Amino acid sequence: MATLRVNLGKRSYDIVNEPGALARCGQLAAPLLRGKKTFVVTDAHVAPRYGETVLESLRQAGLEPKLLTVPAGEASKSPEMLARLWEQMAAGGVTRSDSVVALGGGVVGDLAGFAAATILRGVDFVQIPTTLLAQVDSSVGGKVAVDLLAGKNLAGSFYQPRLVVMDPDVLESLPDRVFSDGMAEVIKYGCIWDEALFARLEALGSRRAVMAEIAEITTACCDIKRQVVEQDEHDTGLRLLLNFGHTFGHVYEQAYHYETYTHGEAVAAGMVAAARLGEETGRTEAGTAARIAALLERFRLPTEIAASAEDCRRAMNLDKKSLGGDIRFVFLPRIGRAEAVRLPKSDLFGRL
């Protein structure tokens, strides 16, 4: 079992990464929760596969779980679905001592986390991520949000969970595209922080090889994010580096209405675009973009996505990294090192 401690004072919590942890989630979570009633939020894909296992584990630990299921997909990360969860929790008699468990991928984690942060001005919250992307990225760090028509994650909060429970065994069941989606974020950690991790992924080069070492790899990614979040919980400095590839990535997602490309696919192409821009402007070591692209291609991730200057302008004007007419953009001087630079947005329009 690997356990990492995210040290944030009174908001500190553990990340437990252990095969079989899903069936032990109640035992792990119950001592940390103030009351017995817990609302387990999941989606229509995850509920049939893991819902009963989690409910039974929570019951055995003396908790009283209630399952709330939302449709699978990005469309559920909406103000309308958030309001529906509020009403379901209110109808279920939620009190300040009750809790919310997020069982699923990034959409469920963001949605359920924002519901937990806002119902009765905040109840306890546990993350049980079931996708690779959620395990290495979205379940750790306390960012919770819903999308607006104007853009992704524009309504949200920082709200740390009481516990993150990861079971690497659940990743075996992921479709290849969903696994690759998460690999984009794994590769990102190598890009921004750990060249040895990047080289390790190059040596492995396939899902099968990565899965043979998956617990070590996911723990390494979570440890990087833990270090970053401890130093910059509210995304004002160091934590910006986690957005490498995301500025262009969010342009691609929005340009295709969140329907054509997954988040990881968009970020993958965004990392290559950012590295190429860095090379063109002398901020990035020559050959970096090609090296990143070669690794992404081994995991069947796109390295280029077409978007217009207008798509870029529209998305970047609503980007959370915007500062008036500027944007904080993440470059890689080299693999394993990143820096955030304040640029005029106009420097990026038409770069896609």
Side-chain angles (χ1 to χ4, degrees):
M1 180 176 71
T3 299
L4 298 172
R5 183 73 172 172
V6 182
N7 293 297
L8 294 171
K10 292 181 179 179
R11 297 177 308 286
S12 297
Y13 57 94
D14 287 337
I15 305 166
V16 176
N17 192 354
E18 176 188 5
L22 195 77
R24 297 180 56 241
C25 65
Q27 176 186 344
L28 294 166
L32 305 172
L33 303 178
R34 291 173 292 168
K36 291 187 176 182
K37 189 182 300 177
T38 185
F39 296 89
V40 180
V41 181
T42 190
D43 70 32
H45 289 166
V46 176
R49 186 177 290 272
Y50 301 122
E52 190 52 43
T53 298
V54 168
L55 293 176
E56 182 57 26
S57 180
L58 296 171
R59 291 187 197 108
Q60 289 182 2
L63 298 172
E64 299 170 0
K66 178 178 178 60
L67 192 69
L68 305 180
T69 303
V70 303
E74 187 75 24
S76 283
K77 215 171 86 172
S78 67
E80 294 77 16
M81 194 59 65
L82 176 65
R84 176 176 150 184
L85 289 181
W86 286 334
E87 295 295 348
Q88 288 176 325
M89 291 176 190
V94 63
T95 71
R96 290 292 299 276
S97 65
D98 297 332
S99 59
V100 172
V101 171
L103 172 66
V107 167
V108 165
D110 282 1
L111 173 65
F114 197 24
T118 47
I119 191 75
L120 303 181
R121 298 189 175 90
V123 299
D124 288 341
F125 171 45
V126 173
Q127 284 269 24
I128 307 180
T130 60
T131 65
L132 179 57
L133 189 147
Q135 289 195 2
V136 301
D137 188 63
S138 59
S139 67
V140 177
K143 281 187 178 181
V144 295
V146 295
D147 302 335
L148 303 182
L149 293 177
K152 189 179 177 77
N153 295 330
L154 292 183
S157 182
F158 291 93
Y159 196 68
Q160 301 295 342
R162 297 283 288 142
L163 176 71
V164 180
V165 179
M166 298 184 185
D167 188 338
D169 289 345
V170 305
L171 304 180
E172 293 282 3
S173 67
L174 295 180
D176 285 339
R177 188 182 184 192
V178 177
F179 185 85
S180 293
D181 184 52
M183 281 304 301
E185 292 285 355
V186 174
I187 291 167
K188 179 200 74 178
Y189 284 111
C191 286
I192 68 169
W193 197 272
D194 189 345
E195 185 177 12
L197 172 61
F198 192 94
R200 181 181 188 179
L201 298 172
E202 288 178 311
L204 293 171
S206 70
R207 174 176 180 169
R208 182 176 180 180
V210 167
M211 281 302 300
E213 303 181 15
I214 193 63
E216 292 179 15
I217 289 170
T218 54
T219 297
C221 293
C222 289
D223 193 37
I224 293 169
K225 188 158 190 183
R226 174 193 65 80
Q227 293 176 61
V228 171
V229 170
E230 286 179 351
Q231 295 177 65
D232 180 20
E233 181 180 1
H234 295 114
D235 210 7
T236 58
L238 184 67
R239 191 166 179 172
L240 291 170
L241 302 186
L242 298 173
N243 290 301
F244 175 60
H246 286 60
T247 297
F248 285 144
H250 288 166
V251 171
Y252 304 141
E253 286 186 279
Q254 188 168 335
Y256 290 86
H257 309 290
Y258 306 98
E259 295 173 351
T260 304
Y261 297 99
T262 67
H263 176 70
E265 289 168 346
V267 167
M271 289 192 288
V272 177
R276 286 177 178 156
L277 177 59
E279 291 183 33
E280 291 170 10
T281 57
R283 292 185 173 91
T284 300
E285 185 178 90
T288 299
R291 189 178 173 192
I292 294 171
L295 181 55
L296 293 169
E297 286 171 350
R298 295 181 72 179
F299 290 96
R300 302 177 184 177
L301 286 161
T303 58
E304 289 187 63
I305 296 175
S308 68
E310 182 54 36
D311 290 329
C312 187
R313 185 177 293 107
R314 187 184 307 111
M316 288 187 187
N317 282 336
L318 286 169
D319 193 293
K320 296 183 296 301
K321 298 178 291 300
S322 290
L323 298 166
D326 296 339
I327 193 166
R328 293 166 293 186
F329 192 86
V330 182
F331 288 102
L332 293 187
R334 58 175 175 79
I335 298 291
R337 181 168 170 245
E339 62 181 8
V341 176
R342 184 165 174 163
L343 293 178
K345 294 176 190 174
S346 57
D347 286 2
L348 301 179
F349 299 157
R351 288 281 188 174
L352 302 173

